[in-house]
């Protein structure tokens, strides 16, 4: 199924006999239980009981797809917004070699502009509540249909970053 149809596979196992299946799948879920923890150690995700699988797939899966999509787009936006004012400045100053940003901004770039958005979005971003996602699993189709991370949204973020860089420069 994985190679023939190009599908993303999920394997769920609870014992040592399931380790190869979990490792062969795109996403492996191990259930720690009576048969030991071998499956949990080999898996991408470990849960304590089989009943937690619904929340892992429907709730955490939806939230993680949304967060990852937003973070990738925000990283592109952030990098374009950071680089293009320097480009505009170099064109304006006829490539004189002067720097556009103060050294303190250059040093704090990764701390402020890379870590802070990840922490804030990762801790606070829940577009839909967990009970709603459990009650209406069809909402999960947003992720399976790839509706959040699209080329159109990428170019929208890219264009917005170029526009913002022009506004910041002038």
């Amino acid at each position: 199924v994985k190679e023939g149809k190009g599908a993303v596979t999920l394997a769920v196992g609870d014992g040592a006999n399931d380790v190869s299946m979990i490792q062969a799948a795109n996403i492996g879920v191990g259930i720690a239980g009576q048969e030991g923890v071998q499956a949990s150690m080999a898996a991408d995700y470990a849960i304590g009981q089989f009943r937690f699988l619904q929340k892992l797939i429907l709730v955490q899966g939806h939230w993680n797809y949304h967060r990852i999509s937003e973070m990738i787009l925000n990283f592109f936006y952030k990098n374009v917004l950071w680089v293009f004012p320097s480009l505009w400045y170099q064109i304006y100053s006829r490539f004189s070699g002067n720097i556009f940003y103060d050294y303190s901004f250059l040093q704090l770039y990764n701390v402020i502009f890379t870590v802070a958005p990840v922490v804030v979005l990762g801790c606070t971003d829940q577009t839909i509540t967990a009970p709603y996602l459990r009650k209406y699993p069809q909402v999960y189709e947003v992720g399976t249909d790839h509706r959040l991370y699209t080329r159109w949204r990428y170019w929208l973020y890219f264009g917005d970053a170029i526009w913002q860089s022009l506004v910041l420069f002038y």
Side-chain angles (χ1 to χ4, degrees), residues 12-13 29-33 40 45-54 56:
V12 181
V29 178
I31 301 173
S40 298
Y45 298 97
I47 56 177
Q49 297 176 3
F50 190 75
R51 65 184 174 100
F52 298 145
L53 190 61
Q54 180 187 21
L56 177 68

Side-chain angles (χ1 to χ4, degrees), residues 78-115:
K78 169 194 62 112
N79 288 326
V80 170
L81 187 60
W82 181 258
V83 170
F84 270 73
S86 295
L87 175 69
W88 307 137
Y89 179 72
Q90 290 303 317
I91 292 170
Y92 181 76
S93 68
R94 297 184 182 160
F95 302 98
S96 66
N98 293 335
I99 60 169
F100 182 68
Y101 296 113
D102 188 48
Y103 280 113
S104 59
F105 290 127
L106 294 174
Q107 296 297 323
L108 293 173
Y109 171 75
N110 280 330
V111 174
I112 294 173
F113 297 118
T114 303
V115 174

Side-chain angles (χ1 to χ4, degrees), residues 3-17:
E3 285 88 18
K5 298 212 180 230
V8 177
T9 57
L10 170 74
V12 181
D14 65 347
N17 59 331

